[in-house]
Amino acid sequence: MIHKYALKKWQLPVLVFICCLFYTSACYGQLIYQPYTYQIYQKLNTTLYSPATNEHTSMKPYFISDSSIIKKQYDSLFIIKTDYSHKNWLKRTFLPKHLIDVKNKDYNLFFDFLWDVELGHDYLGNRNTWLNSRGFQFGASIGKNFYIYTSLYENQGKFPNYVSDYINTKRLVPSEYPVNVLPYDNGSTDWSRVTSIIGYKPAKNILLTLGQDKIFIGDGYRSLLLSDNAPNYPFFKFSIDIIKSIQYNSIWAYFQDRNAPNFNVFTNNRRKFGVFHYIDWNINKRASVAFFNALISEEADNSGNLHGFDFNFLNPILFSPSLGPSAQVADHTLAGLNAKYKVFDKTAIYGQFVMDQTINKGLSNSTGYQIGVRGSDLFSMQHLNYLFEYNTVSPSVYYGQNAIVNYTHFSDPLGDPFGANFKELLGIVNYSISKFDLQFEGYFVNLANNSGYNNYGSGIPSTTYVNLPQIINNSGVGVPATIKFAEGTLGYILNPKYNLKIEVGGLLRQEKSSLADTKTAMITLGFKCGFRNLYRDF
């Protein structure tokens, strides 16, 4: 007997939606993962910030498919128009090829050795500096919807005094990873860094990402929402283009806190969970606005009691501390906005707003904002890119009611590297011609350091019970301090496939307060490769 089944009215649109959601088309091409560095990504300004395009620009790093609108410009960055067919591995190292590069219709893969060798001298600190990094990178795309990437660095280095002070205080290298041991007698430091990513597209409009890396949210150089300032962390990201103009991202991450009381089976650091929502709406080809929500919760309390089921982990829209288990430390939640508008061709203004929703905070001391402008081909000079930006964050933003749920990873801020209670004005200009890259960066920061037993937010505290005023009407309270910074670099690219270059640089920095006046004047010469941000601008 043949049974007939008629679709009900409500079932037809649901069936159509499911078919659209999981329809996989061959047109979206093979995936490429590009690790995020500002120096590489700013070279895509011409396409990303053109009114002729309608890309979601603020969620980084990018997975780039063959059908992506930025693919043509992206490919141009890694191709030097010279025909070489050398079989010698040493010649391939210095020519625009991967050391191992296999391409066929079913899969592509590549492999490179990586190294950073840098020598420098801080004239005002009377200190020689150096960096010695060795590593590798491996990437492979399998079919048209699966990609893997991994890189590993083993590092030793000796840094200028202000960076060494940072390492001694936080026991980690800025933007890298915790040091294996505290600095040796000669002032050098040893550390490792691992990045691993798996990307999978089960459908044309869905991307799943699993790995250990960083995520950057924003169109500026800094991010007040989620930045690449802290070390790598494990995460899973679900991204879906609901329609072409609306993209939804949900991220589950796993952070560490090395200052909280230790009890767990890992025998090293306490853990905490992070969950993030990000909904990006391209209103039209010029304007976009995105809504951000973040939650940090402890894995277990100081007695080792595991965090109970938290509805916020599954909540797809808006987090609330009241939804968490009542017997545990309250979840720490933040909300924010990211927006941009393309005022001219290749020129955009952008901004962010962040609000800390932790209970018992006054609105006046729980917000921060960013405003900036960026673009390319300044003064009609091709490849002359620029960015100018202002950031300010009020005292106690990113603080939880308990230090374990602060907005940090290994005590490093997940937002701006200055933490809270600061005002920052910065500018970056980059000019590329042939194989040469010239970049200049400068910034001026007003911030406030701790005063006695009070912690007013410059540097997110690692202890729970700090003496914070309930309402502070402006940033700048505490011990006033200023930082002036300028850095220029000139690089000559030998192999763009893995950013192999010779680079010379100069750096000036002064940090001044009523307690100290530290100055740095450094020159460097390096032989570098790879895609990572070794931040010195803090």
Side-chain angles (χ1 to χ4, degrees), residues 180-464:
N180 297 331
V181 294
L182 288 176
Y184 299 107
D185 292 338
N186 66 355
S188 65
T189 303
D190 182 286
W191 77 100
S192 303
R193 171 179 169 144
V194 177
T195 300
S196 296
I197 286 292
I198 299 174
Y200 175 59
K201 266 197 154 182
K204 183 178 180 179
N205 60 332
I206 296 176
L207 175 62
L208 308 178
T209 309
L210 175 68
Q212 173 146 321
D213 197 4
K214 307 178 186 185
I215 293 175
F216 184 98
I217 296 178
D219 290 285
Y221 181 67
R222 310 287 198 195
S223 175
L224 307 185
L225 305 181
L226 183 61
S227 77
D228 61 340
N229 174 67
N232 288 356
Y233 47 83
F235 72 88
F236 173 75
K237 180 164 77 78
F238 170 81
S239 178
I240 179 172
D241 294 329
I242 299 174
I243 57 177
K244 187 175 182 180
S245 61
I246 299 179
Q247 184 183 84
Y248 172 81
N249 294 274
S250 190
I251 304 162
W252 293 266
Y254 198 40
F255 302 119
Q256 297 191 41
D257 189 317
R258 65 196 321 174
N259 295 302
N262 185 6
F263 63 84
N264 61 33
V265 295
F266 295 101
T267 68
N268 48 15
N269 303 315
R270 287 274 292 279
R271 266 64 168 179
K272 54 188 175 182
F273 299 104
V275 188
F276 309 86
H277 298 150
Y278 190 69
I279 303 174
D280 191 12
W281 176 30
N282 287 340
I283 302 170
N284 52 45
K285 288 187 175 182
R286 287 187 179 269
S288 72
V289 62
F291 305 91
F292 172 81
N293 202 201
L295 174 140
I296 305 294
S297 67
E298 62 177 356
E299 182 183 49
D301 62 21
N302 290 347
S303 301
N305 301 310
L306 293 176
H307 193 80
F309 175 77
D310 195 332
F311 180 75
N312 281 303
F313 295 163
L314 304 177
N315 179 6
I317 301 177
L318 187 65
F319 299 128
S320 173
S322 62
L323 297 176
S326 59
Q328 308 288 337
V329 172
D331 294 338
H332 183 193
T333 61
L334 299 94
L337 297 172
N338 186 87
K340 74 171 185 291
Y341 184 79
K342 302 171 185 176
V343 290
F344 308 112
D345 185 26
K346 308 173 189 175
T347 302
I349 56 175
Y350 61 88
Q352 289 185 337
F353 173 79
V354 63
M355 180 177 68
D356 197 314
Q357 297 176 296
T358 299
I359 300 172
N360 296 329
K361 286 188 178 181
L363 179 64
S364 58
N365 72 320
S366 300
T367 59
Y369 67 87
Q370 172 191 87
I371 186 168
V373 59
R374 68 180 301 167
S376 58
D377 300 350
L378 185 63
F379 306 128
S380 299
M381 292 181 62
Q382 193 173 14
H383 307 308
L384 180 57
N385 298 337
Y386 61 93
L387 177 148
F388 300 100
E389 182 176 291
Y390 177 76
N391 300 291
T392 182
V393 177
S394 301
S396 76
V397 177
Y398 307 126
Y399 285 33
Q401 286 187 309
N402 189 299
I404 187 66
V405 293
N406 284 345
Y407 200 61
T408 59
H409 174 45
F410 282 113
S411 301
D412 245 7
L414 291 171
D416 192 286
F418 291 110
N421 197 3
F422 70 90
K423 298 177 181 179
E424 175 188 32
L425 181 65
L426 69 86
I428 303 174
V429 177
N430 181 284
Y431 181 56
S432 300
I433 181 170
S434 185
K435 298 181 181 181
F436 289 94
D437 260 341
L438 175 65
Q439 179 166 297
F440 175 80
E441 175 189 357
Y443 71 72
F444 178 81
V445 177
N446 272 320
L447 50 81
N449 294 318
N450 300 342
S451 175
Y453 293 101
N454 294 320
N455 192 308
Y456 292 99
S458 180
I460 301 170
S462 58
T463 55
T464 297

Side-chain angles (χ1 to χ4, degrees), residues 9-61:
K9 289 183 178 180
W10 65 269
Q11 291 175 319
L12 181 59
V14 171
L15 181 61
V16 171
F17 174 77
I18 293 174
C19 291
C20 292
L21 190 65
F22 292 99
Y23 172 68
T24 303
S25 169
C27 69
Y28 55 82
Q30 290 183 317
L31 291 175
I32 298 173
Y33 165 77
Q34 177 56 49
Y36 176 66
T37 64
Y38 173 82
Q39 199 270 341
I40 294 296
Y41 274 57
Q42 57 87 28
K43 295 183 178 183
L44 301 171
N45 281 359
T46 304
T47 301
L48 290 176
Y49 297 103
S50 167
T53 64
N54 195 27
E55 291 291 287
H56 297 280
T57 60
S58 55
M59 177 66 71
K60 306 176 179 80

Side-chain angles (χ1 to χ4, degrees), residues 70 98 232:
I70 65 173
H98 292 292
N232 288 356

